[in-house]
Amino acid sequence: MTHNGPAGTRTADSVGVPSSSDTSSADLSAVVRETIAEVLGTTPDAIVDSTDLRTEYGIDSLELMAIGAQLERVLNVPISAEDLMGADTVGQAVELLAQRKAGRE
């Protein structure tokens, strides 16, 4: 389901993902931060590219699975908890997703 987001942009889903398949890296980063914040019960502003979820939030594999599943659904890009565990920071996870998206276009 889509709805109007900030400044009239079309979005999909509760995390405000642009419905266009051509998500910019800034949009992708925002989507990842919003998804993580939603799963962890914090604000997107608390999540930055250098955030280490294991060290700073004590994230576990179930939370990573929830993040991965939501990102797969929202971005239509395959990502597993194992892939996310391989990323030390949120920025590295964003880079991984950007590479996956680029490979699908």
Side-chain angles (χ1 to χ4, degrees):
M1 179 173 171
T2 62
H3 61 280
N4 284 330
T9 58
R10 298 292 292 169
T11 60
D13 221 274
S14 63
V15 292
V17 178
S19 57
S20 165
S21 63
D22 156 57
T23 309
S24 75
S25 64
D27 289 339
L28 182 60
S29 181
V31 168
V32 171
R33 289 191 339 265
E34 290 171 15
T35 300
I36 292 169
E38 185 177 310
V39 170
L40 296 180
T42 188
T43 64
D45 293 340
I47 308 295
V48 296
D49 283 349
S50 62
T51 301
D52 180 332
L53 296 175
R54 285 182 295 273
T55 301
E56 297 175 43
Y57 288 90
I59 197 167
D60 62 28
S61 60
L62 291 177
E63 290 166 319
L64 278 174
M65 285 173 55
I67 291 167
Q70 190 163 339
L71 288 171
E72 275 188 351
R73 182 178 51 79
V74 170
L75 298 172
N76 195 30
V77 174
I79 185 84
S80 68
E82 292 80 20
D83 291 337
L84 291 175
M85 288 192 78
D88 291 327
T89 64
V90 171
Q92 289 175 350
V94 170
E95 288 175 23
L96 174 65
L97 285 163
Q99 290 170 358
R100 296 274 172 91
K101 277 189 72 66
R104 292 185 60 103
E105 293 177 2

